[in-house]
Amino acid sequence: MRIDIITCLPKLLESPFQHSILKRAQTKGLAQVVVHDLRLYATDKHKKVDDYAFGGEAGMVLMIEPIALCINDLKSKRVYDEVIYVT
């Protein structure tokens, strides 16, 4: 099983996958976890992936362009059974 994770903070997520049950599953070849840096798919020179919330509420949201570029790139390299987008 291969799990691709797209995130703005790849270094933050690498550590949890190197311990415990997930590490054993990867060592045995049962699972493969690949973390992708969303900023590599940003379209501006500052590698910005944040956008302002629409509607005047507080907070930030992710731009759709880098996410779409990343998902399309991954889909062009392999076939996925499912794409799960967690917000």
Side-chain angles (χ1 to χ4, degrees):
M1 172 191 321
R2 180 180 167 122
I3 301 169
D4 288 288
I5 299 174
I6 303 168
T7 180
C8 298
L9 304 166
K11 297 288 184 194
L12 185 67
L13 292 180
E14 287 175 1
S15 178
F17 297 116
Q18 299 303 318
H19 302 283
S20 191
I21 295 169
L22 289 171
K23 180 180 169 88
R24 284 183 277 165
Q26 291 180 74
T27 302
K28 292 179 180 179
L30 300 173
Q32 180 183 12
V33 178
V34 182
V35 180
H36 302 276
D37 188 355
L38 183 60
R39 294 189 189 281
L40 296 177
Y41 296 90
T43 57
D44 69 337
K45 68 179 183 177
H46 301 292
K47 303 296 182 191
K48 182 179 171 188
V49 295
D50 296 341
D51 202 356
Y52 291 99
F54 299 99
E57 295 293 325
M60 298 290 281
V61 295
L62 292 175
M63 290 181 185
I64 190 60
E65 292 85 1
I67 297 169
L69 289 171
C70 184
I71 290 173
N72 289 338
D73 182 44
L74 293 173
K75 281 183 164 182
S76 72
K77 295 175 183 172
R78 65 191 55 84
V79 175
Y80 290 94
D81 293 331
E82 291 186 55
V83 174
I84 301 170
Y85 181 78
V86 181
T87 62

